[in-house]
């Protein structure tokens, strides 16, 4: 899926594999917090460097974004 607009000022492209998240790209249109709800655990990277992610009890992950940058989410193998 490409070009999905998400609440809060984000553009999202997602790649699924066997019905589960494989990877995603999130482009932030403004500075702020990005919150993602996903049943699968993932890590977040910016230009290959890890980004700090805070996981909440309800399966929501949050990380800080800067406008104009694209963040890559990758599913963690064996995690759910």
């Amino acid at each position: 899926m490409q070009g999905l607009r998400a609440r809060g000022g984000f553009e999202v492209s997602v790649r699924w594999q066997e019905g589960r998240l494989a990877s995603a790209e999130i482009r932030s249109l403004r500075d702020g917090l990005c919150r993602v709800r996903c049943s699968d655990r993932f890590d977040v990277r910016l230009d290959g460097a890890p980004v700090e992610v805070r996981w909440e009890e309800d399966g929501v992950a949050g990380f800080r974004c800067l406008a104009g940058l694209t963040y890559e989410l990758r599913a963690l193998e064996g995690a759910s």
Side-chain angles (χ1 to χ4, degrees):
M1 176 184 315
Q2 290 186 333
L4 175 71
R5 286 279 180 124
R7 182 178 15 181
F10 301 99
E11 293 178 347
V12 181
S13 294
V14 179
R15 190 171 64 83
W16 303 98
Q17 185 173 357
E18 298 178 12
R20 301 185 81 99
L21 173 72
S23 64
E25 288 186 347
I26 297 178
R27 182 171 180 266
S28 182
L29 302 177
R30 57 182 140 187
D31 294 350
L33 180 66
C34 179
R35 297 180 76 227
V36 176
R37 181 183 309 275
C38 185
S39 60
D40 298 315
R41 288 283 177 142
F42 56 85
D43 68 358
V44 179
R45 297 196 172 263
L46 175 61
D47 295 328
V51 173
E52 181 181 352
V53 177
R54 294 193 180 220
W55 287 90
E56 301 172 14
E57 288 183 27
D58 60 357
V60 174
F63 58 95
R64 291 272 166 213
C65 294
L66 296 175
L69 299 181
T70 300
Y71 297 81
E72 182 179 17
L73 283 61
R74 291 255 175 201
L76 297 175
E77 298 208 17
S80 51

